[in-house]
Amino acid sequence: MSENIRNSIVPPEVMKKTFEFSEKMRLLNEERRTSLGREMCAYVLTFGCQQNEADSEKIAGMARNMGYKIVDAPEKADLIMVNTCAVREHAEKKALSTIGQFKHLKANNRDLMIGVCGCMVTQEHRREEIKMRYPYVDFIFGTSSLHRFPELLYEKTVKGKRLFCPEENEYLVAEGLGIERESSYRAWVSIMYGCNNFCSYCIVPYVRGRERSRRMEDIVSEVKELARQGYKDITLLGQNVNSYAKDSGLGYDFADLIARLAKIEGDFKLHFMTSHPKDASRKLIDTIAENDKIAKHFHLPMQSGSDAVLREMNRRYDRAQYLETVRYMREKIPDITLTTDIIVGFPGETEEDFEATLEMLRVVKFDMIYSFIYSPRKGTPAADKKDQVTEKVKSERFSRLLELQNAISLSKNEPLVGKTVKVLCDGVSKNNSELYSGRTEGNKIVFFSGEANDEGKYLDIKIDRAEAFALYGNKI
Ligand code: SAH
Ligand code: SF4
Ligand code: F3S
């Protein structure tokens, strides 16, 4: 085993401590259950990206191992965990206001424990803010300290003193924490953590540390187990999956990993996110083309269509390179679904720069875009730039972007009318209880009239109507 990869794993003696604290907490909860005559319950709330959702499943898994039943409402809980995000101001505001709302629950239940973790509280100024302004928060830990959750919870429960776990200097990979998966047919599998790219607008490298990858054999056994349990959609997660294992020096890369995973037996599709365009290699595209088990969907965040802006963002590719990657991808995989992320109103973005982004949308014709208004993040280079775009211009550009993309998305969906698509059913739609919803291999949402036992199954749906953001059809 390479030195690098061994060093990036939380040492066994530290994990042993984690399991000891977990067991102590479990025994304590067993006593409480006997004396209270009811189960101890935990509620986990998640803000942010899929990576955070995957972490929350680990937090829920650890809570379960400590004797908590996972519940779906904070009012029912003896332990509330808030897993926060820092990517935009809106995400932080939402987390803070939600934490604020939990104050009254503490008034009703003096034994209620509230823990806050995740990207927001990995920033010093936010930790201080929680310490000073949210005195009912019992403990905090950042993204490098997930494995310290049982220790913090136990110590706080026994000793009563608030705990603010210091960030580890070194960010590591913890294997073997419990996992309580939300779904029985869609699963997240983190393959790496952190980011080395330092795009100039982005907080992630500061709150998630440097890239470190899990060992291929650990990922293979997790995916094998998921396939055995009948999981249908397995999404591999990392901030830049294309640089998987580059930190390890083991001689394999992301394309090798997915080629290996695609050999695992079972009726499932592999998805992955996110890819950085500078690292989207031909080898990777060929691997996707050659393996049926790999979903024909590529999420390739472009961020901007202007070379000047891309340079200022420190993205390390230009329009021409991006277009070449897309050209090769469509040549090899003609039916690929292509989606992207766009930031509007990056500091210094001129009308011309913005027009260049619109032009790229017209040329590439993404199936879908995820667009964001630039939000200055404390500590990042872009936040200190003098030429910030005004809120008015940002929101005006944002509307124009959406308007254009809506027309493009519709034109991409319309040819599907009359065709039959394979859909993984998610059960009754949250917005319309008359219909069922599901997603295609390319992550397009489809509504149809389904039946009670359809959830978690692949169905063939004949499309009879297309909108920009959804398809409608019937089971055949
Ligand atoms: N690692 C992924 C994305 C992580 S964040 C990648 O590089 O693609 C998800 C998206 O949020 C980014 O792609 C970007 O479009 C957006 N984003 C990140 N920082 C932002 C900021 N400060 N303001 C607005 N959007 C931002
Ligand atoms: Fe942020 Fe860039 Fe890293 Fe993505 S690649 S997480 S946008 S720094
Ligand atoms: Fe947010 Fe952290 Fe993800 S900042 S987007 S939860 S990596």
Side-chain angles (χ1 to χ4, degrees), residues 423-434:
V423 163
L424 178 56
C425 177
D426 286 311
V428 177
S429 153
K430 290 193 181 75
N431 305 324
N432 180 350
S433 60
E434 313 256 290

Side-chain angles (χ1 to χ4, degrees), residues 47-49 52 84-87 119 203-204 207-208 239:
F47 295 93
C49 63
N52 247 21
T84 60
C85 168
V87 79
C119 295
I203 196 71
V204 172
V207 295
R208 286 271 177 186
Q239 293 301 341

Side-chain angles (χ1 to χ4, degrees), residues 85-93 119-120 123 125-126 199-204 206-207 347 373-384 388:
C85 168
V87 79
R88 284 171 289 275
E89 190 185 1
H90 181 65
E92 294 197 315
K93 279 202 169 144
C119 295
M120 185 182 81
Q123 306 167 98
H125 68 285
R126 291 296 186 195
C199 302
S200 62
Y201 50 82
C202 184
I203 196 71
V204 172
Y206 304 88
V207 295
I373 290 182
Y374 170 70
S375 168
R377 303 287 69 211
K378 195 179 160 83
T380 61
D384 294 332
Q388 300 288 329

Side-chain angles (χ1 to χ4, degrees), residues 195-199 201-205 239-240 276 303 315:
C195 181
N196 290 353
N197 289 315
F198 290 95
C199 302
Y201 50 82
C202 184
I203 196 71
V204 172
Q239 293 301 341
N240 176 11
H276 195 301
Q303 313 298 2
R315 289 291 284 180

Side-chain angles (χ1 to χ4, degrees), residues 351-419:
E351 177 60 24
E352 245 183 352
D353 293 322
F354 177 65
E355 292 280 345
T357 300
L358 296 182
E359 181 56 24
M360 279 293 267
L361 297 193
R362 285 189 203 101
V363 172
V364 177
K365 294 194 174 62
F366 295 101
D367 288 270
M368 213 170 2
I369 67 169
Y370 300 87
S371 40
F372 307 101
I373 290 182
Y374 170 70
S375 168
R377 303 287 69 211
K378 195 179 160 83
T380 61
D384 294 332
K385 285 183 184 284
K386 295 280 166 283
D387 45 358
Q388 300 288 329
V389 177
T390 64
E391 293 303 320
K392 185 164 171 278
V393 171
K394 283 197 238 184
S395 72
E396 179 253 344
R397 285 183 188 162
F398 189 68
S399 309
R400 282 162 65 199
L401 185 84
L402 291 190
E403 197 182 328
L404 170 63
Q405 183 58 37
N406 283 357
I408 296 171
S409 291
L410 183 61
S411 76
K412 298 287 286 190
N413 283 346
E414 273 171 343
L416 292 170
V417 173
K419 299 233 164 77

